[in-house]
């Protein structure tokens, strides 16, 4: 059997149940596995639990359980969460397994035979909370760098000659640029190594829990030394003749706190000492933070992934599978590749609405609706236009380059960038206009739209496998999971029957989001706009009319709209004044113009002029009543970017509230011509 692509997460310590931080690493590794499958590899994915150590024994005693009962319970919770998150691991490895014990003892013997282990007396400080030894100079105000209490330890133990591997490690890092990623953390490791390494105590007095030394059962292997060996143990080394089908690992995934001291220094030194190959890549992502605090079980500020999924379903009404996909997408989108990133419900909501409901979902619904209207709901037998081909290939190249260095957020951006191109392409090529004029280019334009969606389906599939399958189904095809075929004309069969579009990514309902927010934060006061609207980090919207403007007069009365021209007075601005009317710059600056995108367009009942629009401004959704019905069909408007007067006082028109006004010019026949950016712009940015 040929060498398999072997990737791992750290094995998670069983001191508590999984949270969004542990789920982040696990889902990111799953995304990488699914990508490697598309590339034709045969990946093998390991995750699991680290179940030895003094802290486990203490926790079990406090819980009134035996250590094995305790670890069985917690380990099963990890399995339940990872399975629910659709993680396609190949083995869930546990350090209480017989295989792990056998491999740890064999590797310990190998290091002893090779002269890298010696006996001595350890005296120093030990942090039970992190199960880490520290020297006096490491302490901060008498505590460990993590702020935990330390205790003085003095006992006979065995030591690993870590100091002997400093130069070998530096040479390996220099010769293998992708060994440690990302670059910033590689530099931290190099700096750490150049400060000099000291030998490491790697045994403890046997407390009745752990892996005993093969020649001295009064000692157990130090939990960090023991845990790292799991990556080799899962291959069956040293007894399984096929262990080299997996080893060396292609990538070890983890968070940055266990990178420098352990996975980038101690673990490769152990492998060098045992004469085993080093992994190809060791990568550490940053932390999810709240303000200036790390997400931590000990700090009590963690988010439970399945609870977050349930909240998303409550806010959107999405399916059971989509709620999981939404969380997976947020983890990939917000993964801190270099530094740390703020992960909260605002950020999750913002990217769900912007990326999935707006960019991807809108492009899918819009394209399929037009295909049904203009080309009988079938894939046209026409060539894909060059602009679309170039956009697909550019997205594919950017995605591959990102995944080469395991930069998952950059790959996500490549996928969603293709959808932004598509929405702009639709606006530019205007298939509705081509249909009206019977332009022969219509078939190629519709096929180009569908080709972009087909490519995006493949690109998002590692992050959202179920949603990608649903996109394929609506496109009338089996899923495309072959990287070499991505963008090929053969993936889009002419004449294939397209499904009627059904929204996969329902938008977040602001009122339902407010209910969720108020329940979570146990407040009777109105929730900030940022929570209800998904505004993003820190604070509400500064120009949301709902949050600041009270208009009892317009609510209590239903005035008839005055329409002295083709546009209603609350729908559009146009030049009805003479050129001699002048205003100051101060007056003009009072008008807040922002880029918005039209999500829905429905003719207003009882009016032959007005259209009821749902528009998104930033991450806020509003309703606008516009007098543009004679100039535009609903399909002409969906997904189009427009310019909105965002601080206009809300008013009722024909019984419907209008919360803004669109800018439009007027042609010689009095018809509206909507103004829009000449290229795609972020929704919510101010027009100056």
């Amino acid at each position: 059997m040929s060498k398999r692509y072997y990737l791992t997460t750290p094995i998670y310590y069983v001191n508590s149940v999984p949270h969004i931080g542990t789920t982040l690493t696990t889902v990111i590794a799953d995304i990488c596995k699914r990508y490697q499958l598309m590339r034709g590899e045969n990946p093998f994915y390991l995750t699991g639990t680290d179940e030895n150590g003094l802290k486990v024994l203490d926790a079990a005693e406090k819980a009134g359980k035996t250590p094995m009962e305790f670890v069985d319970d917690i380990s099963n919770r990890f399995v339940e969460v990872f399975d629910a998150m659709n993680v396609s691991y190949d083995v869930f490895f546990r350090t209480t397994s017989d295989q792990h014990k056998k491999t740890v003892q064999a590797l310990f013997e190998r290091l002893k035979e090779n002269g890298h282990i010696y006996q001595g007396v350890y005296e120093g400080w030990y942090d039970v909370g992190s199960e880490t030894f520290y020297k006096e100079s490491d302490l901060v105000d008498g505590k460990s760098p993590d702020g935990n209490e330390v205790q003085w330890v003095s006992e006979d133990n065995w030591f690993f000659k870590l100091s002997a591997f400093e130069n070998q490690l530096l040479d390996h890092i220099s010769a293998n640029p992708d060994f440690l990623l990302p670059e910033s953390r590689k530099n931290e490791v190099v700096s750490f190594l150049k400060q000099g390494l000291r030998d490491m105590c790697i045994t403890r007095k046997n407390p009745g829990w752990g892996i005993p030394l093969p020649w001295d059962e009064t000692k157990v292997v130090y939990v960090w030394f023991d845990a790292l060996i799991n990556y080799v143990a899962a291959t069956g080394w040293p007894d399984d003749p096929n262990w080299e089908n997996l080893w060396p690992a292609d990538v070890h995934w983890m968070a940055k706190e266990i990178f420098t001291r352990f996975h980038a220094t101690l673990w490769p030194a152990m492998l060098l000492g045992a004469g085993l190959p080093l992994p190809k890549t060791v990568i550490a992502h940053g932390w999810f933070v709240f303000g200036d605090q790390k997400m931590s079980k000990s700090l009590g500020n963690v988010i439970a992934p399945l609870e977050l999924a349930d909240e998303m379903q409550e806010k959107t009404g999405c399916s059971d599978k989509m709620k999981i996909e939404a969380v997976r997408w947020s983890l990939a989108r917000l993964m801190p590749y270099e530094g740390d990133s703020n992960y909260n419900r605002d950020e999750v909501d913002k990217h769900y609405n912007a990326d999935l409901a707006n960019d991807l979902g809108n492009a899918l619904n819009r394209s399929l609706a037009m295909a049904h209207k203009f080309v009988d709901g079938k894939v046209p037998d026409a060539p894909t236009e060059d602009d679309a081909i170039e956009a697909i290939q550019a997205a594919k190249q950017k995605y591959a380059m990102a995944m080469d260095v395991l930069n998952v957020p950059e790959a996500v951006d490549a996928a969603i960038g293709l959808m932004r191109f598509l929405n702009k392409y639709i606006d530019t090529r205007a298939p509705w206009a081509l249909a009206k004029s019977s332009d022969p280019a219509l078939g190629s334009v519709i096929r180009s739209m569908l080709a972009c969606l087909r490519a995006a389906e493949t690109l998002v599939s590692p992050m959202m496998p179920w949603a990608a399958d649903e996109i394929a189904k609506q496109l009338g095809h089996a899923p495309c999971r072959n990287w070499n075929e991505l963008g090929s004309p053969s993936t889009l069969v002419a004449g294939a029957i397209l499904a009627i579009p059904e929204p996969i990514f329902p938008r977040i309902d602001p009122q339902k989001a407010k209910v969720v927010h108020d329940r979570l934060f146990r407040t009777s006061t109105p929730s900030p706009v940022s929570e209800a609207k998904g505004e993003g980090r820190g604070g509400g919207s500064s120009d949301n009319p709902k949050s600041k403007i009270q208009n009892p007069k317009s609510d209590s009365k239903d005035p008839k709209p005055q329409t002295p021209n083709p546009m209603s007075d609350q729908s559009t601005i146009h030049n009805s004044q003479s050129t001699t009317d002048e205003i100051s710059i101060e007056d003009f600056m009072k008008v807040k113009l922002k880029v918005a995108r039209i999500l829905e367009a429905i003719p207003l009942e009882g009016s032959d002029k007005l259209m009821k629009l749902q528009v998104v401004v930033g991450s806020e959704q509003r309703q606008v009543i516009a007098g543009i019905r004679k100039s535009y069909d609903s399909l002409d408007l969906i997904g189009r970017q427009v310019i909105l007067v965002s601080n206009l006082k809300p008013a009722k028109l024909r019984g419907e509230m209008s919360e803004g006004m669109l800018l439009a010019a007027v042609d010689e026949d009095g018809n509206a011509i909507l103004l829009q950016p000449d290229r795609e712009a972020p929704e919510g940015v101010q027009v100056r």
Side-chain angles (χ1 to χ4, degrees), residues 360-404:
L360 179 53
N362 183 59
L364 176 64
N365 298 338
R366 197 179 179 199
S367 298
L368 289 174
M370 291 185 192
H372 278 280
K373 183 173 182 178
F374 301 138
V375 295
D376 298 323
K378 298 179 181 179
V379 176
D381 186 5
T384 304
E385 292 196 329
D386 289 344
D387 285 354
I389 293 173
E390 291 172 6
I392 291 168
Q393 293 304 317
K396 182 178 181 180
Q397 182 180 18
K398 179 180 177 181
Y399 192 105
M401 290 176 64
M403 292 303 291
D404 283 347

Side-chain angles (χ1 to χ4, degrees), residues 427-446:
D427 291 342
T428 302
R429 295 297 282 131
W432 51 89
L434 299 177
K436 287 179 182 178
S437 63
S438 300
D439 193 311
L442 177 63
S444 285
V445 170
I446 297 294

Side-chain angles (χ1 to χ4, degrees), residues 268-381:
M270 291 164 60
L271 292 169
L272 289 171
L276 294 173
L278 271 57
K280 179 182 176 182
T281 298
V282 184
I283 180 169
H285 58 73
W287 290 334
F288 280 157
V289 295
F290 293 100
D292 59 353
Q293 283 189 316
K294 169 194 172 187
M295 182 183 291
S296 165
K297 288 177 284 191
S298 61
L299 294 174
N301 60 2
V302 301
I303 296 175
L306 300 186
E307 290 177 12
L308 183 63
D310 288 341
E311 292 166 19
M312 182 60 70
Q313 186 175 46
E314 185 176 350
K315 289 184 282 191
T316 64
C318 67
S319 68
D320 286 339
K321 290 184 177 179
M322 188 59 231
K323 71 180 183 182
I324 298 298
E325 304 276 82
V327 176
R328 286 177 60 99
W329 181 264
S330 72
L331 294 171
R333 186 59 148 152
L334 295 170
M335 180 197 122
Y337 184 72
E338 290 275 2
D340 299 332
S341 68
N342 199 347
Y343 189 90
N344 55 45
R345 291 169 174 85
D346 284 350
E347 288 292 302
V348 174
D349 288 0
K350 180 177 73 174
H351 286 290
Y352 175 87
N353 270 345
D355 298 342
L356 303 182
N358 291 355
D359 290 330
L360 179 53
N362 183 59
L364 176 64
N365 298 338
R366 197 179 179 199
S367 298
L368 289 174
M370 291 185 192
H372 278 280
K373 183 173 182 178
F374 301 138
V375 295
D376 298 323
K378 298 179 181 179
V379 176
D381 186 5

